[in-house]
């Protein structure tokens, strides 16, 4: 345990939950955490920084809780660092290394400020360029599995630079993040994609892969959009292999989805869509 220099108005305490020496996250992650805290120092008064093996978790404390009573390194915070470490390991295995910097503000209002101009209404977490912001009430409602899924999903966005590659197809960005998120969760397709499964069982199959509009907060079939995207990426991984899915994503960032599909899978959007619809029927009906 060591004290950091004062950062603006925030008083920081670094607590180790998993041994600092060889397993310590690169200083880059800590530097990133300090930089993003410096953008809103008023939110991080009394905050603690928890270091997992790789992840850095910054936890805010409600103004009503004196910093001296809010015990940095409390069990819930240590668990969060463990979950972030586990999520980061999965992202690193599939995609490559990522600095896992997680901001856990004390209130939804603070999360809203941190996430501006994006909102956090209805969200558990969201990814910025180099860090993940948790929305306390949304994230707090999740099961332990749900928290790990969400952290791996958002860390995938950070790793792949989703916040700075706006022209990527939404189904690939969200589907790939959920593909990584649900890895190792042992959840069945029908459990994860319950809303979509209900539609498929009643005889309705989506005609096309979900576009950007389908992922807007408040969209009428928002859960189904994520489920459709997840199953599109899961289909690619099942049929062509996980490495092909990663190659598709990387190629789409470089030269767009149409060229990427031909280059990496030898297919086109119409063929992929038809195969995906068959996969939905097979997995969900
Ligand atoms: Zn996402």
């Amino acid at each position: 345990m060591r004290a950091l220099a004062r950062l603006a108005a925030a008083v920081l305490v670094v607590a180790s939950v998993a041994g600092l020496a060889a397993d310590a996250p690169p200083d880059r992650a800590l530097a990133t955490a300090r930089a993003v805290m410096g953008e809103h120092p008023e939110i991080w008064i009394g905050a603690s920084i928890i270091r997992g093996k790789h992840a850095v978790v910054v936890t805010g404390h409600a103004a009503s809780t004196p910093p001296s009573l809010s015990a940095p390194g409390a069990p819930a915070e240590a668990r969060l660092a463990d979950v972030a470490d586990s999520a980061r390991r999965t992202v690193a295995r599939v995609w490559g290394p990522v600095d896992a910097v997680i901001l856990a503000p004390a209130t939804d209002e603070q999360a809203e400020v941190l996430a501006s101009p994006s909102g956090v209404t209805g969200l558990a977490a969201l990814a910025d360029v180099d860090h993940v912001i948790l929305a306390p009430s949304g994230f707090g409602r999740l099961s332990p599995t749900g928290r790990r899924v969400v952290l791996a999903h958002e860390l995938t966005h950070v790793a792949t630079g989703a916040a700075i590659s706006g022209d990527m197809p939404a189904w690939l960005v969200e589907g790939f993040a959920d593909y990584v998120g649900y890895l190792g969760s042992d959840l069945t397709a029908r459990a994860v994609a319950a809303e979509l499964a209900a539609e498929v069982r009643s005889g309705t199959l989506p005609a096309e892969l979900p576009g950007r509009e389908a992922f807007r907060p408040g969209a009428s079939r928002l859960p189904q959009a994520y489920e459709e995207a997840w199953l599109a990426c899961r289909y690619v991984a099942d049929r062509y292999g996980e490495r092909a899915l990663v190659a598709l994503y990387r190629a789409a960032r470089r030269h767009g989805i149409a060229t990427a599909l031909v280059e990496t899978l030898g297919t086109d959007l119409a063929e992929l869509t038809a195969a995906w619809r068959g996969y939905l029927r097979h997995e969900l009906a």
Side-chain angles (χ1 to χ4, degrees), residues 4 7 10-15 29-38 40-41 43-52 55-61 72-73 77-78 80-81 84 100-107 110 114 130-134 136:
L4 271 182
L7 172 70
V11 179
L12 308 180
V13 181
V14 173
L30 195 53
T32 300
R34 293 173 67 178
V36 291
M37 290 170 79
H40 292 284
I43 287 177
W44 304 115
I45 293 169
S48 49
I49 301 182
I50 311 297
R51 303 179 79 170
V56 174
V57 178
V58 182
T59 309
H61 294 281
E77 295 167 357
L80 183 55
V101 176
I102 315 291
L103 303 187
T107 68
Q110 291 174 340
L114 294 172
D130 57 3
H131 60 277
V132 173
I133 300 160
L134 305 187

Side-chain angles (χ1 to χ4, degrees), residues 3-284:
L4 271 182
R6 270 175 68 90
L7 172 70
V11 179
L12 308 180
V13 181
V14 173
S16 162
V17 293
L20 278 175
D23 288 333
D27 284 343
R28 207 175 48 189
L30 195 53
T32 300
R34 293 173 67 178
V36 291
M37 290 170 79
E39 291 169 17
H40 292 284
E42 73 286 358
I43 287 177
W44 304 115
I45 293 169
S48 49
I49 301 182
I50 311 297
R51 303 179 79 170
K53 281 194 172 168
H54 290 278
V56 174
V57 178
V58 182
T59 309
H61 294 281
S64 55
T65 313
S68 58
L69 297 178
S70 57
E77 295 167 357
R79 267 201 307 279
L80 183 55
D82 284 345
V83 176
D85 271 334
S86 160
R88 185 218 167 262
R89 266 196 303 278
T90 306
V91 175
R93 181 184 69 68
V94 177
W95 177 268
V98 58
D99 288 339
V101 176
I102 315 291
L103 303 187
T107 68
D108 288 338
E109 291 70 30
Q110 291 174 340
E112 200 78 41
V113 171
L114 294 172
S116 173
S118 310
V120 297
T121 309
L123 298 182
L126 88 166
D128 205 323
V129 175
D130 57 3
H131 60 277
V132 173
I133 300 160
L134 305 187
S137 44
F139 194 78
R141 275 196 293 272
L142 297 175
S143 67
T145 299
R147 292 178 183 195
R148 199 196 154 282
V149 169
V150 163
L151 282 180
H153 177 111
E154 302 303 340
L155 284 176
T156 301
H157 284 330
V158 173
T160 57
I164 47 175
S165 46
D167 49 351
M168 286 280 283
W171 67 263
L172 185 54
V173 172
E174 296 306 333
F176 184 65
D178 262 357
Y179 170 79
V180 178
Y182 283 110
L183 282 176
S185 71
D186 292 331
L187 294 167
T188 65
R190 272 177 235 184
V192 172
E195 292 84 355
L196 185 59
E199 291 183 2
V200 171
R201 273 198 305 274
S202 73
T204 311
L205 268 181
E208 49 193 38
L209 289 159
R212 200 152 290 279
E213 285 300 317
F215 294 93
R216 292 223 188 283
S220 60
R221 292 179 68 256
L222 189 60
Q224 289 92 331
Y226 280 95
E227 293 159 8
E228 290 166 4
W230 171 60
L231 286 165
C233 289
R234 191 169 175 270
Y235 163 72
V236 171
D238 281 359
R239 163 80 172 76
Y240 301 92
E242 186 177 280
R243 290 172 68 157
L245 173 62
V246 173
L248 175 69
Y249 198 104
R250 291 189 191 278
R253 290 201 312 179
R254 282 196 306 275
H255 359 265
I257 188 64
T259 307
L261 283 169
V262 176
E263 228 176 47
T264 57
L265 310 184
T267 189
D268 60 22
L269 200 56
E271 231 175 60
L272 176 70
T273 302
W276 161 73
R277 297 181 78 222
Y279 184 75
L280 292 184
R281 202 180 294 115
H282 180 266
E283 294 292 309
L284 302 179

